[in-house]
Amino acid sequence: MLIIVIFTPLDQSLTIEKHLIMAFELPKLPYSFNALEPHIDARTMEIHHGKHHQAYVTNLNKALEGSDSQNQDISEICKNISKFPAAVRNNGGGHYNHSLFWTILGPDSKALSGTLNDAINATFGSFDNFKTQFGNAGATRFGSGWAWLIVNGSGKLEICSTPNQDNPLMDIAETKGAPILGLDVWEHAYYLNYQNRRPDYISAFWNIINWDEVAKRYAQLTK
């Protein structure tokens, strides 16, 4: 809770207003709930965004209330996550991961070309090899978690996965780097439509990737 003291210029009387500062907010989706159908259904998107992601935001704000970190960038919190309690790790990771996830999805997915495509081919041998390796990272993640394409500390592309709401930015991550593509393989991301068929969900994911956004992230990290 932040107390804001306001002096009114006319009579110099003192007015005190209380404002609950919500440092982190649920980002708006850049498309409608049904825009990704049939690959991700509207009801799943409504619940995933409005319930799950909102809960991470709410609980993150509660966990940080009254601390200096309330106004920190979420990526900076992730980079120093070992200094924070589990509630910040879980909910901060959930907020960062989902905020990225919504932006790299889109209804008008186009084939990747350009610098990132060249880097993928050079790193993984071919785009098909990349798809296979990335898909395996998601399919073999035991329980809940994420699959990632990252730019590592050497400026190279790398595929990894993390448990729960961890991500490669975190200083506790086994494989560290800056994510440019992430796939949520928690059951809440796909269960209404795919039930226990995670591989089918992963296969559908390739139809709704906003490669322009992924390529932009890559360019920013390698310029």
Side-chain angles (χ1 to χ4, degrees):
M1 186 74 71
L2 176 66
I3 307 295
I4 299 178
V5 180
I6 302 175
F7 290 91
T8 57
L10 292 180
D11 58 7
Q12 298 299 307
S13 63
L14 188 64
T15 303
I16 298 179
E17 298 179 3
K18 291 185 178 181
H19 297 279
L20 179 61
I21 301 300
M22 301 297 282
F24 300 102
E25 297 179 352
L26 181 69
K28 292 183 179 180
L29 285 179
Y31 37 76
S32 62
F33 288 127
N34 65 357
L36 305 181
E37 291 184 338
H39 309 293
I40 301 181
D41 62 284
R43 185 58 178 155
T44 294
M45 290 298 296
E46 290 176 10
I47 296 172
H48 198 174
H49 177 262
K51 301 295 184 182
H52 291 282
H53 191 175
Q54 179 63 70
Y56 293 126
V57 171
T58 300
N59 291 326
L60 175 61
N61 282 320
K62 287 180 180 178
L64 291 175
E65 187 173 355
S67 73
D68 293 338
S69 298
Q70 207 173 10
N71 296 311
Q72 262 192 301
D73 185 85
I74 187 60
S75 62
E76 292 303 313
I77 290 175
C78 287
K79 290 175 183 177
N80 297 282
I81 205 66
S82 63
K83 300 178 182 178
F84 293 90
V88 176
R89 175 177 173 178
N90 294 334
N91 293 291
H95 178 45
Y96 175 90
N97 296 350
H98 286 89
S99 296
L100 180 148
F101 188 52
W102 309 133
T103 67
I104 57 89
L105 298 178
D108 301 314
S109 182
K110 301 174 184 176
L112 178 63
S113 60
T115 304
L116 176 57
N117 185 60
D118 293 342
I120 286 175
N121 287 324
T123 303
F124 303 105
S126 70
F127 193 80
D128 285 340
N129 286 345
F130 158 66
K131 287 177 64 175
T132 298
Q133 292 179 41
F134 186 91
N136 286 341
T140 59
R141 166 50 58 187
F142 183 77
S144 302
W146 291 74
W148 303 99
L149 176 65
I150 67 172
V151 176
N152 64 26
S154 300
K156 305 296 184 182
L157 292 174
E158 190 171 353
I159 291 169
C160 63
S161 70
T162 55
N164 303 315
Q165 292 296 353
D166 287 357
N167 62 59
L169 273 186
M170 293 181 172
D171 58 359
I172 47 81
E174 183 176 345
T175 302
K176 297 179 179 62
I180 61 172
L181 178 69
L183 173 60
D184 187 350
V185 293
W186 282 63
E187 285 189 343
H188 65 237
Y190 61 86
Y191 202 83
L192 291 182
N193 198 20
Y194 296 95
Q195 288 78 55
N196 64 335
R197 304 188 309 276
R198 183 187 288 184
D200 290 350
Y201 161 69
I202 294 172
S203 179
F205 171 69
W206 299 106
N207 296 300
I208 50 173
I209 296 176
N210 179 359
W211 285 114
D212 287 344
E213 175 65 23
V214 181
K216 183 177 74 173
R217 291 176 179 271
Y218 177 71
Q220 290 172 341
L221 291 166
T222 57
K223 61 184 178 182

